[in-house]
Amino acid sequence: MTDAVKGPASYFPSIEKTYGRPVSEWKALIRASPLTKHMELVSWLKTEHALGHGHANALVAHTLAEDETR
């Protein structure tokens, strides 16, 4: 039995279905942005790419957390 995905990654299937792009593309966009602060990136995704707040927040949180561990 597998555990359910928790945290920001739990939004990923919905993000891919809703916006038609794989999460890897969203993460690449976030990493390519000159913005570095969490809420700046969330606002940018919302205004420039029409993501909802929860989806934008999940992508940014997960991407920044990954980058901290690299």
Side-chain angles (χ1 to χ4, degrees), residues 10-52:
S10 67
Y11 285 86
F12 291 175
S14 177
I15 291 168
E16 290 180 340
K17 181 179 178 186
T18 303
Y19 305 104
R21 287 179 148 176
V23 168
S24 60
E25 282 187 27
W26 291 113
K27 288 182 175 187
L29 283 172
I30 291 166
R31 289 183 175 117
S33 171
L35 304 172
T36 58
K37 294 184 179 176
H38 181 99
M39 288 309 297
E40 289 176 338
L41 288 161
V42 170
S43 294
W44 172 71
L45 286 172
K46 290 168 62 175
T47 57
E48 295 297 318
H49 298 283
L51 267 71

